[in-house]
Amino acid sequence: MLNQQLLHLVFTEGRDRRSSRSKDGVNLRDSRCHGQVSWSVLPPESERTFRQRVEPLESKFNTQEGLYRKALKDLDGLRKAEKMKPRIDQNFYGIVTSVLSYGFFVTLEELLVEGLVHVSSLKDDWYELPQSNSRSGRGKQPQTRLVGRRSNREYALGDRIEVQVRSVDYYRQQIDLVATASLAAEAAESANLPPAIAESSP
């Protein structure tokens, strides 16, 4: 409705040239005139009146747009969760796309779905951000890796790793993954074998 009212104002009151002294004008009803207009088309009073009508509605439009974008994001998350439910316990390769203090996110190459590897699932060591990454304050460096205290093994941004789908929470749109290397370490610990041997065992 507002668009129609604005077009009506442009067509009935709009100035088709910069000033009355200008010889050449533009056809305001032609969509190709957009790049040719470098002046305020509406008379000052008409523009001021229209702005006064629109400005109170601006915050409402922004809120509605935000809700719309959130709904689209939620719908996308639900679709991805639904896609992953039948794939629990399956293995996939993916890329580490984000590193946080509580774990790292991996985007699966085959499905383009993102899931979380929580630090609590990494059984072979205690993983944490390096001191240079975990300090707060100005000049804080981006968090790019988790490092094992004992082994110094790293999971870093951009790494390609193999993961297993551990669980899927449909309503929370959460996909939990576990690194297969950690599964091998857990199996080795249970069997009292070196991780490399456990990983190669059938």
Side-chain angles (χ1 to χ4, degrees):
M1 179 66 89
L2 286 173
N3 287 341
Q4 293 174 348
Q5 293 176 2
L6 179 59
L7 286 174
H8 177 74
L9 282 174
V10 169
F11 293 156
T12 57
E13 302 182 25
R15 297 184 300 147
D16 64 354
R17 61 198 68 203
R18 181 177 294 276
S19 69
S20 57
R21 294 190 298 273
S22 300
K23 294 181 179 180
D24 298 326
V26 298
N27 182 4
L28 296 177
R29 295 177 180 270
D30 190 333
S31 61
R32 292 171 296 181
C33 78
H34 182 268
Q36 305 172 32
V37 176
S38 58
W39 58 89
S40 181
V41 173
L42 293 178
E45 185 60 33
S46 297
E47 182 176 348
R48 189 179 308 110
T49 301
F50 188 79
R51 284 185 179 276
Q52 289 173 349
R53 294 183 56 197
V54 171
E55 285 174 356
L57 301 174
E58 185 176 357
S59 60
K60 181 180 179 180
F61 290 155
N62 289 339
T63 300
Q64 290 179 338
E65 183 181 5
L67 291 173
Y68 171 73
R69 292 183 182 278
K70 184 179 184 303
L72 286 181
K73 183 178 179 180
D74 288 344
L75 180 60
D76 184 55
L78 291 171
R79 285 174 175 168
K80 289 179 178 178
E82 183 67 27
K83 181 194 295 187
M84 296 305 297
K85 284 175 70 176
R87 294 175 167 84
I88 292 176
D89 293 332
Q90 293 183 17
N91 290 7
F92 299 91
Y93 280 95
I95 303 297
V96 177
T97 53
S98 179
V99 178
L100 301 165
S101 60
Y102 56 83
F104 53 90
F105 286 91
V106 176
T107 298
L108 306 184
E109 294 176 340
E110 183 179 339
L111 302 170
L112 298 180
V113 171
E114 187 179 67
L116 172 67
V117 178
H118 197 276
V119 289
S120 63
S121 71
L122 302 172
K123 304 296 186 181
D124 59 316
D125 206 338
W126 180 273
Y127 286 86
E128 59 189 358
L129 297 170
Q131 287 299 314
S132 58
N133 278 358
S134 59
R135 289 175 184 161
S136 59
R138 282 184 100 174
K140 180 180 177 182
Q141 296 298 313
Q143 298 172 355
T144 59
R145 59 199 174 107
L146 288 173
V147 181
R149 281 185 181 179
R150 175 176 47 80
S151 64
N152 283 327
R153 179 173 182 169
E154 295 185 0
Y155 289 99
L157 195 67
D159 282 354
R160 183 176 186 264
I161 66 171
E162 186 179 21
V163 295
Q164 184 179 104
V165 181
R166 173 62 61 85
S167 64
V168 176
D169 189 323
Y170 177 78
Y171 292 104
R172 293 174 62 189
Q173 307 162 36
Q174 182 173 311
I175 300 165
D176 291 323
L177 308 173
V178 60
T180 55
S182 179
L183 288 175
E186 187 177 5
E189 184 177 335
S190 300
N192 200 22
L193 294 173
I197 295 176
E199 194 167 2
S200 60
S201 299

